[in-house]
Amino acid sequence: MSKRKSNSIGESPHKRVRPTEVYDENNETVGEVGIVESISLKNFMCHSLLGPFAFGSNVNFVVGNNGSGKSAVLTALMVGLGGKATTTNRGSSLKGFVKEGESSADVSITLRNKGRDAYKPEVFGQAIIVDLKITREGMRTYKLKSKAGHLVSAKKDELLAILDHFNIQVDNPVSMLTQEMSKHFLHSKGEGDKYRFFMKATQLEQMKEDYTYIITTKNVTLDTVEKHEECLEGLKRKYLEKEDRVKSLASLDDMHSKLEELKNQMAWALVSEMEKEVKPMREKLQSEERSTVKYDQKVDEWKAKVVEAEKKYKGIREQLEAITVRVQQLEPQSAQLKNETQSRSKAFNTAQASVHRFKTNLRDLEKDKDQLSRRINELKLSISQTSGAETQVRVERMEKLQTDLDTLNFQDSTLGQQMEQFQQAVSRAKDELDKMMREEEDLKRSMEAIRRKLQTMEGSRSDRLRRFGEKMPALLAAIEDADRKGQFRKKPVGPLGYCIRLKDYEQALAVEKCLGSLMVAFTCDNHEDEKLLQGLMRGYYQGGRRPQIITCQFINRVHDTSRRAVNHPDYPSVLQSLEIEDPVVANCLIDQRGIETILLIKSPAEARRVMQGRQPPRNCYQAFTKEGDQCYNNRYYSNDQRRCDYLSRDVEEEIRQLQEEMRNKEAHLDRFSQQKQRVEEDIRNNNGLLKRAYDDRKRAKDKFRRLQQEISDLQNVEEPQSEDLKPLEEELEEINNKISAGRAESEEARRKMAQLKTSWEEVEQRYRQHKDSISTVAEEAEPIKEELSKGDQDVEKSKHHKKHYEDKRKVHINTIQALKASLELKEQELTASVVKATEICPERSEVRRTARSLDSEISRLKLKISTQQDQQGDREEVIRQYQEALENYSNINQQVKCLKRFIQVLCKIMDDRHRVYTELRRFLSVRCKMYFDSMLSQRGYIGKMMFEHKNETLSISVQPGVGDKAALSDMRSLSGGERSFSTVCFVLSLWAIAEAPFRALDEFDVYMDMVNRRISMDMMLKIASSQRYRQFIFLTPQSMSSLPVNNLIRILRLKDPDRGQTALPFGQRNEEEEEKE
């Protein structure tokens, strides 16, 4: 449960302590308070009536088949003691626990309340009965009764006080581990889930939430102090006003005279201020009118550049179109040659197949000839021998050969399977080797990039310019030398990133991602300087990418961005976050990147809220977070870069991180090399085994064919007669004739195949030459395409600059018109003000005070005169109000000081408590590790628990081996039974460090085999025997018949379920329930 309220009924309960031990009739230690004596269910879930079940003081087993109501008993216990429906994992709403067709469900739970730690024993007696009623609409009501059955309270706050006093935590998975929670935890692969399980079980999570709540309260108190301080200023003003009223009980004549004098000064002070406002407006209008010519010149200049760039682009495009036409003219001949090559290749393949067919036929005829010759010789031989004795020998020989054939057949099958296994192993190893080689190449490229970056950073220790490239100091030296020689009209400025400074270095990565390539860019005043700078760059950046050059007129004042810049009260723009001494750099970044319209917001969530809300900031189209993420009003792009390249403050820290990263990469590469050697060794071994198996199988097949041929020959032996030889000799002569004819046809086919091959190779050679010609023409188009792309960029750049200056000229003209209108209006107001001032005071006097101060004094003087006129006769009332104002001010001031002292004391207390909380968390972690190792050792397992409190993770490694011979591995690699046993050990270790009067486990032995189940059971019974002041409730479908007969163990057997029952009604909530929640 979440944070419980303090007891609000009757007296406060005593401070919770560990339950003391008492003895029952058998002189056994039992628990005094908080254990469950009995529970009964009516119309709960799918059961009409369950119980009442009388639980023992120590160990209780609730056994029964699936569906008999075991989990219903645990669910009722959780819901009956105030738990939520979602906590039980059995439903999403309370009304789902009411049996189908019934109007309500009832749960009755009796808790023991004995001994000196009993809760209000004079009211409840030695037992507390909690009656819960759940209606079909999902409402639940409680009745808390004494042992005698008298109603004591019907408020849930009283139940919460009882649970807090007994330290009963129904939502703590260690106190009550449901079947679904057990499976979830068993299958959980997240180290964060295990850590949260530990924090919740030890109530450290509750302490953490309490500290968070206290910090929130402190912040609210700080806000209250700030509000009181604001209020204090108002009270102080009121108190001073009252004091002035007391002092102002003087003559009114002097105040009236002073008032007239102030009015005369006020009239001419307004005239003077208006004259001061008109003068700069006139000067600004004259300056803006003089600047119009410059804007016209710029617009005309860029119009001419647009025409020139479009003309150049058109010429390059015509060259590219001419090359395209040449390629299109060559394509038909290429397609014709390709088709001819394919047709001749097909004819060659057909002729090649014919040659192979003739060779096969000849080989078959030769084989028939050999067989027929052997047959004739055998007939001739058999005529001269007796047939009887030879037949017997032949039969025995055939039987022996058949036995050898069966043996060879089995050997062939075995070798085939082995070859398939070796081939699969080689294939898998080669795939793995290819993957490793790709990863190794990626790793080497990454190491090379880190090495270059490290060299740059080490060089930047003495020269910050090296962070912008190894060639940058030499390039700047060359620029300086050329400027001294007068080659530049105006010296180029750059790199731009070197010319800026950050006000807040937390925004370094955001500014780098915003400016991008502009960090190393240069800016020139004119195109002649740009060409000269490009020539210098070519000497230092021959093969690599050169820095960008931006050409724009150098102006010694920063652009006026007041109208188009974003102004946010909480977050700065990029322009506002930078210190830029050179106006040329600032103007270049404004023109190229629009840094005055980009916000820097450190938090990603806050960036989304500001940019993607209903009203994004005016003039802002994007924002960057401190991680470098880019946020628009309709999309968000995350940044992969995690380290600054140019603007970071701590160079040594950057170098250290890069060195550490390089060491990690090198260690990773060494592991890759070792692993690759092992894989290559596996491939060689498997290839050797495969070749050996192949040779063995080949020899077996050859032997198999020889034996098969011998059996066939023996089967075909007959008692020949001399007249049988003549047909065989005629057949032999016919085969000889066929062989002669086949050889002639084969030679003719070979000759034809050679001719077709020569023809095919000639056509293919012509086709390749034609393709090379097309490729040559296409290669000619590549530089032209690059020129076309560059020309297109020049056109777009020129158009962009033309539009930029047209817009600036338009804005400039509108500004002049607005200034004229404002000036005319101001001059009219000035004339009217002079006339009015002359009427008030004909003679103009010199006034040194501002109109605002005069107006304030006039208003205050009028108020004083009016107040004195109204209250001049009631002096005591004025003094009384003054004293009240002084008292209010003093009281509020004292309250503010007390609150500040309270906040200081609270901060110190919170620091001390947080230190104790950290130590407690460490002690509990050590105890949990100790108990976990002890539990595992009873099974012969070894394990390791690793707490990462900073990252809030808990990693558990278990090995079901012995000693150093076993390597620790993650629980995910264990079998179901081993993982269940390890989970039980973890839960038992949490039992040892968590306090609760009773503990309940639902199907704790899920996925366990018999060995792990027996060991786990022995461990839990051993712990239960050592903690007889606690109660243990185990729910299991096992019969538990093997348990020892003991008065501390009680087994509750449930009846088998009625299989005709319908489905439970608490599947999913409807839309109305979701809207209500």
Side-chain angles (χ1 to χ4, degrees), residues 514 566 592-599 611 616-624 630-635:
C514 174
V566 57
Q592 298 296 321
R593 192 65 181 90
I595 59 174
E596 77 281 7
T597 63
I598 302 173
L599 284 177
M611 295 301 299
R618 184 171 174 268
N619 295 333
C620 180
Y621 71 96
Q622 64 173 315
F624 284 85
Q630 194 171 4
C631 182
Y632 293 87
N633 58 357
N634 58 353
R635 58 192 185 278

Side-chain angles (χ1 to χ4, degrees), residues 851-914:
R852 183 175 181 181
S853 65
L854 290 170
D855 182 63
S856 177
E857 187 173 354
I858 289 171
S859 300
R860 188 168 59 252
L861 192 57
K862 285 182 178 180
L863 181 60
K864 289 171 67 177
I865 293 172
S866 176
T867 303
Q868 190 167 353
Q869 286 175 345
D870 294 340
Q871 301 178 358
Q872 187 174 11
D874 193 2
R875 185 181 184 87
E876 294 180 357
E877 179 65 18
V878 172
I879 295 174
R880 186 186 63 79
Q881 291 179 359
Y882 164 72
Q883 291 175 347
E884 288 180 356
L886 177 59
E887 184 179 0
N888 289 337
Y889 170 74
S890 300
N891 291 337
I892 295 298
N893 190 26
Q894 186 64 26
Q895 291 179 11
V896 169
K897 290 180 180 178
C898 292
L899 284 175
K900 287 183 176 179
R901 286 195 297 270
F902 166 74
I903 291 173
Q904 290 176 355
V905 174
L906 180 62
C907 290
K908 184 177 182 304
I909 293 173
M910 284 303 297
D911 292 338
D912 295 338
R913 284 181 174 268
H914 187 266

Side-chain angles (χ1 to χ4, degrees), residues 789-851:
S789 176
K790 185 177 180 182
D792 183 49
Q793 292 177 2
D794 292 340
V795 170
E796 292 299 325
K797 181 179 177 181
S798 301
K799 288 182 178 179
H800 172 74
H801 283 288
K802 180 175 76 69
K803 185 177 183 303
H804 171 70
Y805 285 108
E806 286 177 345
D807 293 342
K808 291 185 71 174
R809 182 178 64 178
K810 184 177 179 181
V811 172
H812 178 72
I813 293 174
N814 293 337
T815 302
I816 292 176
Q817 293 176 353
L819 284 173
K820 287 181 179 179
S822 300
L823 181 60
E824 184 178 356
L825 183 62
K826 278 291 181 183
E827 288 177 343
Q828 293 176 0
E829 292 178 357
L830 176 61
T831 304
S833 180
V834 171
V835 173
K836 187 175 181 180
T838 305
E839 293 176 355
I840 296 174
C841 181
E843 184 179 355
R844 180 167 183 172
S845 60
E846 184 178 355
V847 183
R848 296 181 179 179
R849 297 177 62 182
T850 64

Side-chain angles (χ1 to χ4, degrees), residues 381-424:
L381 181 62
S382 62
I383 292 174
S384 61
Q385 297 176 352
T386 57
S387 60
E390 188 174 345
T391 300
Q392 182 63 29
V393 172
R394 190 168 62 248
V395 170
E396 293 176 356
R397 177 63 176 168
M398 288 172 63
E399 290 176 353
K400 182 178 182 304
L401 291 175
Q402 187 62 44
T403 302
D404 294 342
L405 278 178
D406 295 338
T407 302
L408 289 173
N409 194 18
F410 177 75
Q411 183 181 358
D412 180 73
S413 176
T414 303
L415 290 173
Q417 293 176 359
Q418 292 179 355
M419 289 175 63
E420 184 177 357
Q421 292 174 356
F422 292 145
Q423 288 172 349
Q424 292 176 356

Side-chain angles (χ1 to χ4, degrees), residues 517-696:
S517 60
L518 292 177
M519 291 293 297
V520 295
F522 284 78
T523 178
C524 293
D525 178 72
N526 52 78
H527 289 288
E528 288 74 12
D529 290 349
E530 178 188 358
K531 292 179 181 178
L532 180 57
L533 180 58
Q534 285 179 347
L536 293 176
M537 284 185 178
R538 279 194 290 270
Y540 296 96
Y541 298 92
Q542 297 177 355
R545 183 179 177 184
R546 295 199 297 267
Q548 180 183 358
I549 301 177
I550 301 165
T551 304
C552 60
Q553 184 180 2
F554 287 1
I555 303 175
N556 292 327
R557 56 182 175 84
V558 180
H559 294 331
D560 182 11
T561 61
S562 57
R563 296 195 177 188
R564 64 174 183 271
V566 57
N567 288 301
H568 197 279
D570 299 324
Y571 307 109
S573 65
V574 177
L575 179 60
Q576 293 169 342
S577 67
L578 296 177
E579 294 180 356
I580 308 176
E581 296 179 358
D582 193 344
V584 173
V585 176
N587 293 336
C588 182
L589 296 178
I590 290 171
D591 293 337
Q592 298 296 321
R593 192 65 181 90
I595 59 174
E596 77 281 7
T597 63
I598 302 173
L599 284 177
L600 295 179
I601 305 174
K602 293 183 179 181
S603 171
E606 191 65 17
R608 285 190 173 95
R609 183 189 68 79
V610 173
M611 295 301 299
Q612 299 177 359
R614 294 184 177 179
Q615 292 182 346
R618 184 171 174 268
N619 295 333
C620 180
Y621 71 96
Q622 64 173 315
F624 284 85
T625 68
K626 69 177 182 179
E627 291 84 8
D629 298 346
Q630 194 171 4
C631 182
Y632 293 87
N633 58 357
N634 58 353
R635 58 192 185 278
Y636 188 94
Y637 299 108
S638 297
N639 175 34
D640 295 333
Q641 183 179 342
R642 287 293 175 265
R643 188 182 294 110
C644 296
D645 292 331
Y646 309 107
L647 298 178
S648 62
R649 175 185 290 178
D650 193 349
V651 177
E652 295 299 329
E653 178 63 19
E654 291 286 335
I655 292 174
R656 189 191 63 77
Q657 292 181 1
L658 287 171
Q659 289 174 344
E660 181 65 23
E661 188 173 355
M662 176 61 75
R663 285 193 293 270
N664 293 336
K665 296 284 187 182
E666 289 174 350
H668 195 185
L669 184 61
D670 292 339
R671 291 194 298 272
F672 253 111
S673 300
Q674 295 174 4
Q675 189 176 0
K676 189 172 71 172
Q677 291 175 0
R678 290 195 297 269
V679 173
E680 289 174 345
E681 182 65 24
D682 291 342
I683 292 175
R684 286 193 295 270
N685 293 338
N686 287 324
N687 279 329
L689 294 173
L690 178 62
K691 185 176 184 304
R692 187 184 306 167
Y694 176 79
D695 294 339
D696 292 344

Side-chain angles (χ1 to χ4, degrees), residues 182 254 511 633 837 905 956:
S182 175
D254 294 338
V511 173
N633 58 357
V905 174
I956 299 178

